[in-house]
Amino acid sequence: MHSRYDIIRRNTLKARTLIVKATAAAGSGHPGGSFSMAEILGCLFYKHMRYDAANPCWEGRDRLVLSKGHAAPGLFSHLAISGFIPESEVETLRSLGSRLQGHPDMKCPGVEFCGGSLGTGLSYSVGMALSARMDGLDSRIYTVIGDGESDEGQIWEATMAAAKFKLDNLTVILDRNYVQQDSYTEGVMPLDAAATGPNPNPVAARNDPTLWRTSDKWRAFGWHVIEVDGHRIEQIDSAIRGAKQVSGRPSIIIARTVKGKGVRHMEDNPQWHGKAPSPEMVPIILDELKSQAAVAPSIIAGDMTRLDLEVKRCDGAGPDYIHMDVMDGIFVPTVTFGYEKIRELRPLTDIPFDSHLMISQPARHVKKYAEAGSDIITVHAEVCSVSEFGEIHDYLKGVDVGVGVAVNPQTPIPPWLKEFVPTLDQFIVMSVVPGRSGQKYIYESHQKTRTIIQSLNEHGFGGVVEADGGVNTLNVADCFDDGARVFVGGSSMVGQPDMKQAIDDIRGRISYARQRMLLHRAHSLGGSKLVHDWIALHVVGEQSDTLNKIARESSLL
Ligand code: DX5
Ligand code: ZN
């Protein structure tokens, strides 16, 4: 991971908020398929594609072909964030005279293909890849196709042609979200092993690799195939990088995704293929998008003699980050490991490393931790002056590594931090005295977290607050209510025999707190009627039962 992780994550969140605003303003559009490809486009626009937004027709650029053209809001949102068009223009979606219509057309800078009629974008891409080669350009063609779209015969004609012409400058990404128009794909025309029932819910198919047959089809046509979780930035990033290394064959990345990802009532719900959110729900949906949470297991709570095995355990448990607690025996009494260990552990997983440096003189050492493979580096305010932190901040921003500050339980926000807050990526509020895992959460940290967040927000903070120390299933909901959005777990995650179960339990408590927060938001906006209407949107699975229970417990209904 040559990072940019934080940039991709933040911009992808911003893209989702623009999609919500644009489709709500238009009163129509396709949020579902725009959300499912948000991370895919995020990795392309903010890490891999070469382009110049000020010179969109630069001949040497890479090209993005959105073959599933109905997901136009998803494309326009990223074009706006990348600077091709003003962000404000996204809300002119589908209005008369706008460059942003229901399907992309080339009036809009950055649009390479007039998508809409499904099935044709791959053929067009084959032509682009052939002509790029004939012109001696090293441009890469990236094409996003849909799984429903794969029912079109033309897709398979183009697939054969790309293999015949050995188009290794073509990378296709299949947004495998299992929904097409008003149904689940596996009931219409299965790409995987035939699922049971007339309209099989995609969750089982998506989560059971023994059912997967899509890659077999593409491999049989002579393509290099990579399977990823289409919402894990690090996996998409690694796959795109891998595809660039392949010669003599085109590559396809099969990104298993969730249609409507990010907004729970839209997820796996065919209703939101082509329907806009209603205006009264937009503020709640935006709060839902902005309140995404992450879990970060701390490996020092495991076997310190086999940190490689602990990283592998984390890899299998599906956390968002791995928290690397570096202790030098000077800033804190304990010694854990240094940058050499991080370098050694880096190749074992793509999961981002959240490096927490409990070391003295961090400015002297930060470069080694970045080069070792950290994705986010947090240093302690107690051992930084404003100039030392400025050095750390500017260096990490220059190498696209996330920048964080941590404070011990007794330390307030340092006055010198103010100028850095707008570009700070992470703020760790220590809820134990640093030095080891397994300590008890210091209760006063709840109020301290709220006070810190209020102050950070007053100074334009756009990053996340991380709760670190003694966080567990009993207090994580309160930590979420305080405003923390990343939760470190040493003894509560790595220290547990079944780490995946432990992480799932903590995620369950976070989800409870998040749903409760959104129900309170609905109530503050529209009383119990809006609470009722918000709950009624959640038609997939048993979500509405859970929400009704939370609402009643909180006297919102
Ligand atoms: C303490 C570290 C924490 C600790 C977390 O100095 O910064 O990350 O390892 O472990 P638990 O969750 O067990 O407190
Ligand atoms: Zn830590």
Side-chain angles (χ1 to χ4, degrees), residues 296 298-301 323 325 327 332 356 358 380 428 430 432-441 466 468-472 488-493:
S298 163
I299 56 173
I300 67 165
H323 188 76
D325 277 315
M327 300 180 191
V332 289
H356 175 191
M358 287 159 279
H380 269 263
I428 296 186
M430 291 302 298
V432 295
V433 173
R436 61 184 174 78
S437 69
Q439 300 178 70
K440 194 172 171 327
Y441 183 94
E466 178 172 289
D468 184 7
V471 175
N472 56 39
V488 173
S491 42
S492 65
M493 296 181 199

Side-chain angles (χ1 to χ4, degrees), residues 337-380:
F337 52 82
Y339 62 89
E340 303 90 342
K341 179 58 77 174
I342 291 181
R343 185 187 306 124
E344 182 193 311
L345 296 171
R346 179 69 277 175
L348 301 181
T349 177
D350 282 326
I351 294 178
F353 284 173
D354 169 32
S355 296
H356 175 191
L357 304 191
M358 287 159 279
I359 66 173
S360 63
Q361 298 182 304
R364 281 186 55 193
H365 306 291
V366 70
K367 187 169 189 299
K368 291 175 278 193
Y369 285 93
E371 289 171 346
S374 302
D375 295 283
I376 300 168
I377 293 179
T378 300
V379 298
H380 269 263

Side-chain angles (χ1 to χ4, degrees), residues 473-493:
T473 48
L474 300 176
N475 60 31
V476 70
D478 294 337
C479 295
F480 179 91
D481 290 345
D482 299 337
R485 291 292 178 261
V486 183
F487 304 94
V488 173
S491 42
S492 65
M493 296 181 199

Side-chain angles (χ1 to χ4, degrees), residues 400-417:
D400 290 329
V401 171
V403 188
V405 161
V407 290
N408 288 345
Q410 304 311 322
T411 311
I413 296 184
W416 51 255
L417 189 67

Side-chain angles (χ1 to χ4, degrees), residues 34 37 41 45 64 66 71-80 104 110-112:
S34 296
M37 68 175 192
L41 264 57
F45 274 103
L64 170 63
L66 179 61
L75 174 61
F76 296 146
S77 59
H78 284 288
L79 287 175
V111 171
E112 300 282 356

Side-chain angles (χ1 to χ4, degrees), residues 527-545:
S528 47
K529 164 128 180 30
L530 194 56
V531 169
H532 174 271
D533 294 348
W534 172 254
I535 292 174
L537 291 173
H538 295 74
V539 296
V540 175
E542 292 78 47
Q543 294 176 46
S544 57
D545 299 345

